Amino acid sequence: GGASVPSYSVTMTCSAVTGATSYEFAIEHESGSSFTTYTNYSATGPSRTFWPQISGTYRWRVRAKVNGAPGEWSAYATFGYP
């Protein structure tokens, strides 16, 4: 069978960083009273689409890498998946 493509997606976007060679997106899922790591993505540009599989609340943050050296993490942004 073919891979099913979930219809619900979230596109995470940040401001482009001058000289950045890649971006690292970290996604966490709320479990009880805390957040746990859900998945991490590496992207060449400041945008990445994510298809959540588990209902609940998510949060994500991003950092740019300039010449392979990671910068500071951004503030968290949250979204919900019904």
Side-chain angles (χ1 to χ4, degrees):
S4 62
V5 177
S7 58
Y8 185 92
S9 67
V10 174
T11 300
M12 303 170 292
T13 307
C14 65
S15 300
V17 175
T18 302
T21 50
S22 65
Y23 295 81
E24 185 179 359
F25 292 88
I27 302 171
E28 299 176 9
H29 182 255
E30 189 174 24
S31 176
S33 59
S34 62
F35 282 87
T36 56
T37 299
Y38 186 79
T39 189
N40 289 324
Y41 289 119
S42 181
T44 54
S47 180
R48 184 68 162 81
T49 301
F50 167 61
W51 287 268
Q53 303 288 323
I54 305 170
S55 62
T57 300
Y58 293 83
R59 70 181 184 181
W60 65 274
R61 60 183 181 170
V62 60
R63 65 182 176 182
K65 290 187 176 182
V66 179
N67 296 326
E72 295 292 315
W73 283 107
S74 70
Y76 282 106
T78 60
F79 62 89
Y81 175 52

